[in-house]
Amino acid sequence: MLTILKHATDEALADIRNEMRVRQTTKFILLFSMGSQFDHLIVRQLATLGIYCVVADPSSVTADDVKKAAPAGIIVSGGPASVYNEPPPFDGAIFDLGIPTFGICLGFQMLAQRVGASVTPQTKREFGVHTFRAAGNDPLFDGVARETQVLESHGDAVNADASFDILGTTENAPVAAGRHKHLWGVQFHPEVTDSLEGMKMFENFCVKICGITDRFPAHSVAEQKIAALKKQVAGKKVLIALSGGSDSSVVAYLLKAALSQENPRGDTSRMTGIYIRGIDRPDDEAYVQKYFGTQDWIEVKICDATDRFLEVLRGKLTMPEKRLAMRGVYKNVLETEIEKMGADFIAQGTLYTDLVESGHGHDTGARRAQIKLHHNTDLGFSVPELSPLETEVKDSARSIGRDIGVPEDLLIRHPFPGPGLVVRIEGEVNAETLAIARAADGIYVEELRAAGLYPSVWQAGATLTRSEHSVSKGDDAGTGHVLALWAVWSVNGFTARFAELPYDFLARVSRRITNEIRAVGAVVYRISDKPPATIEWG
Ligand code: XMP
């Protein structure tokens, strides 16, 4: 994981200087990570711009520490705290140092409060994409269109008063961007791809405002990961959990490359891929067989855990308890195979998104919300874990895959949660509800492919709800389940917008589902964005 600055000790400062030497730069940005789900995207955006970013712990780094570290600029991120009810841990004197500072959402509210502006809870919360209208000619918005799209997600807002120059507005935020001397702030999130010109704003802040001109050349991420894995797995055996989706496939190919020198003629005893059957989509197993089953560098084993999943899920009704129950089986199956193989490592396709939603991320003192406990985090295996994608998000994991020759057909598969259909069934998961959810997924995905819509949709799913709908099928009458279809457009899963699928397509899928699956009485389509809704139902 990323290294975090906790105190400006001689050792920590020497580390930063060393890293700057390697990156051929003399300047860096200090990012105070306040616990936002999006913090890591700021680090990634700056990395793309060739700017070195050190993450700082707001609960321990003081103004004295910052003076010693002497960053060219400071970014204070968003977070779940509120300057009102839950003032975040942060030394306010940092804002008085005269170092150019960029506050994002909560970060903006914190610096605004420091200079005497009032921050109040809004009657109308702003969630989602809005039009930002720039005012004046501040360097932060050089080269940015006067009207541009931004993503806002906040309940408190900075009020217009004399302490801030207003640099821009949105419909519900009279000070969507403001400046007070060396302090800039925005109410929106420039780090997410929904904010179309966010990258330009970061570039303006770092280059034009902070004067960071010696940017380091970007390295090949895949090469770095393979080199690191090579050191770890030399002479060792690895068990990898394969799902048939893109992330675990990318990890398998990284490991293949890491083992290739030691294993030039192919020796499947070094890497075993295990596929767990039971709560999966209709075609996952076929993908694993097609792309890995015939390879000479990996042995594939299929483990049917259907009965074990059904047993632990019996009587469980809420999503958190079902998620927890499913993790137990997932871990036990893998532990048994680790033992059988005598594996030295267990590899998984865990992404940064999985960690951050489970309440991890940058290890700082700021509070971080747990959105949902993902299946692949904190499992405490008996052997060390290899998670080479845990600093990546979906789109960057896919580009690593492209660099190392992972088949495109695997890379473009829609994401699918590790807990599988469990999170797409409300109420009890049993043989019957599983069969309904699986059949609905099969029809939906088949139709998306047939209509040519599959590649343009980031993820689609069908959720079996607990709602009942009255039905009249010919002479027959009674009730049937309500099945909810959803589909989103996204880049990395941090944010998403509901996909505007054509009505005739939805009508076709609905007719097929109600005709072919007897237990379904009605089909609805979900039209919520993330935030505030998450992508999966549970
Ligand atoms: P949400 O639903 O939180 O999900 O917006 C973001 C992305 O993560 C997937 N997801 C999971 N992936 N294990 C996973 O590997 C999990 O427990 C899990 N839960 C959600 C979800 O499908 C979406 O792509």
Side-chain angles (χ1 to χ4, degrees):
M1 286 299 283
L2 299 150
T3 43
I4 310 284
L5 181 72
K6 301 250 178 204
H7 296 286
T9 57
D10 290 346
E11 209 183 347
L13 296 179
D15 273 355
I16 295 175
R17 275 196 301 275
N18 251 340
E19 190 67 33
M20 285 200 288
R21 240 192 318 277
V22 174
R23 292 167 186 250
Q24 300 160 33
T25 184
T26 52
K27 300 201 166 101
F28 71 97
I29 292 284
L30 197 59
L31 165 69
F32 282 90
S33 171
M34 305 306 298
S36 157
Q37 303 294 319
F38 306 140
D39 285 355
H40 184 60
L41 294 179
I42 302 175
V43 181
R44 287 196 53 79
Q45 290 251 22
L46 297 197
T48 310
L49 290 167
I51 286 159
Y52 178 33
C53 173
V54 175
V55 178
D57 184 341
S59 69
S60 60
V61 172
T62 61
D64 267 353
D65 288 317
V66 176
K67 245 200 276 181
K68 279 191 204 149
I74 295 171
I75 298 178
V76 185
S77 82
S82 153
V83 291
Y84 270 111
N85 320 328
E86 189 192 347
F90 186 80
D91 180 358
I94 293 168
F95 292 133
D96 309 335
L97 293 173
I99 300 172
T101 299
F102 187 17
I104 293 169
C105 199
L106 171 68
F108 181 27
Q109 293 150 16
M110 287 161 59
L111 63 84
Q113 205 181 42
R114 179 78 185 178
V115 301
S118 74
V119 180
T120 45
Q122 283 187 299
T123 43
K124 224 171 166 183
R125 287 177 76 80
E126 280 230 29
F127 274 131
V129 172
H130 298 271
T131 302
F132 171 78
R133 292 181 180 81
N137 288 308
D138 193 87
L140 188 64
F141 298 112
D142 264 7
V144 172
R146 303 302 291 172
E147 287 199 1
T148 185
Q149 179 187 301
V150 297
L151 181 114
E152 293 184 292
S153 173
H154 62 98
D156 299 344
V158 177
N159 297 315
D161 65 23
S163 45
F164 262 92
D165 293 337
I166 297 178
L167 305 182
T169 56
T170 61
E171 196 188 340
N172 294 327
V175 195
R179 176 178 178 182
H180 170 94
K181 298 180 184 164
H182 62 288
L183 305 173
W184 283 257
V186 292
Q187 198 60 92
F188 53 86
H189 288 272
E191 67 276 24
V192 299
T193 48
D194 309 68
S195 296
L196 294 182
E197 297 183 82
M199 178 79 100
K200 185 76 197 152
M201 297 172 202
F202 280 118
E203 185 172 15
N204 285 342
F205 176 70
C206 297
V207 178
K208 300 207 161 153
I209 295 173
C210 302
I212 306 184
T213 45
D214 49 354
R215 304 201 226 163
F216 66 90
H219 297 283
S220 156
V221 183
E223 265 169 40
Q224 282 175 2
K225 291 197 186 287
I226 292 167
L229 282 173
K230 233 181 217 170
K231 282 191 204 143
Q232 287 176 286
V233 299
K236 304 275 189 302
K237 289 181 173 180
V238 183
L239 182 80
I240 173 165
L242 285 180
S243 69
S246 63
D247 311 327
S248 55
S249 300
V250 172
V251 173
Y253 271 72
L254 284 170
L255 283 164
K256 175 192 173 195
L259 288 168
S260 67
Q261 267 171 14
E262 287 177 68
N263 191 20
R265 269 173 273 109
D267 167 9
T268 56
S269 68
R270 298 290 304 284
M271 189 175 8
T272 297
I274 174 107
Y275 175 82
I276 306 176
R277 186 191 289 158
I279 47 177
D280 41 359
R281 280 180 292 199
D283 54 356
D284 290 323
E285 188 174 329
Y287 267 83
V288 170
Q289 292 289 20
K290 179 174 173 191
Y291 288 103
F292 297 99
T294 53
Q295 302 293 314
D296 62 4
W297 47 273
I298 184 167
E299 183 193 6
V300 170
K301 282 182 86 172
I302 308 289
C303 176
D304 189 346
T306 312
D307 293 342
R308 273 175 278 174
F309 279 124
L310 289 179
E311 196 181 316
V312 296
L313 290 164
R314 192 179 307 130
K316 306 254 173 1
L317 298 180
T318 67
M319 288 297 183
E321 63 180 350
K322 288 189 291 184
R323 275 181 172 271
L324 211 57
M326 166 278 155
R327 277 162 59 95
V329 175
Y330 178 80
K331 182 184 171 189
N332 287 343
V333 170
L334 293 179
E335 277 297 353
T336 308
E337 295 303 321
I338 287 170
E339 204 179 317
K340 277 193 203 155
M341 184 194 178
D344 301 291
F345 289 102
I346 167 83
Q348 298 194 95
T350 311
L351 294 182
Y352 189 79
T353 337
D354 304 340
L355 291 174
V356 81
E357 293 210 334
S358 300
H360 293 271
H362 302 295
D363 180 20
T364 70
R367 179 171 76 80
R368 198 168 263 287
Q370 186 187 82
I371 295 178
K372 47 186 72 166
L373 185 61
H374 281 235
H375 77 292
N376 42 5
T377 58
D378 296 322
L379 285 170
F381 286 109
S382 57
V383 293
E385 286 180 48
L386 297 173
S387 307
L389 298 182
E390 72 180 9
T391 49
E392 306 303 318
V393 289
K394 197 77 190 181
D395 57 325
S396 61
R398 279 183 171 141
S399 29
I400 290 173
R402 268 180 204 114
D403 270 1
I404 57 172
V406 179
E408 194 63 18
D409 191 24
L410 274 173
L411 289 179
I412 62 155
R413 289 201 79 201
H414 286 181
F416 186 62
L421 295 171
V422 169
V423 292
R424 297 191 180 168
I425 295 171
E426 279 196 317
E428 192 184 68
V429 177
N430 53 43
E432 189 202 340
T433 51
L434 254 182
I436 300 171
R438 189 170 286 129
D441 182 278
I443 294 171
Y444 191 22
V445 171
E446 191 178 304
E447 289 295 333
L448 279 166
R449 286 189 189 278
L453 290 165
Y454 187 84
S456 65
V457 163
W458 194 80
Q459 188 173 10
T463 302
L464 183 61
T465 76
R466 287 178 95 178
S467 289
E468 294 275 307
H469 207 287
S470 58
V471 290
S472 90
K473 292 187 176 176
D475 292 338
D476 212 5
T479 56
H481 291 283
V482 174
L483 188 102
L485 299 179
W486 49 266
V488 293
W489 291 324
S490 180
V491 174
N492 46 37
F494 271 96
T495 58
R497 296 171 72 184
F498 80 87
E500 292 170 31
L501 296 180
Y503 274 130
D504 59 341
F505 166 79
L506 288 170
R508 193 161 55 249
V509 177
S510 165
R511 278 189 205 111
R512 269 198 69 190
I513 288 178
T514 46
N515 286 340
E516 294 174 33
I517 311 175
R518 233 188 133 68
V520 176
V523 174
V524 296
Y525 187 60
R526 185 191 71 189
I527 53 166
S528 290
D529 298 336
K530 172 182 181 176
T534 57
I535 295 173
E536 295 288 344
W537 208 264

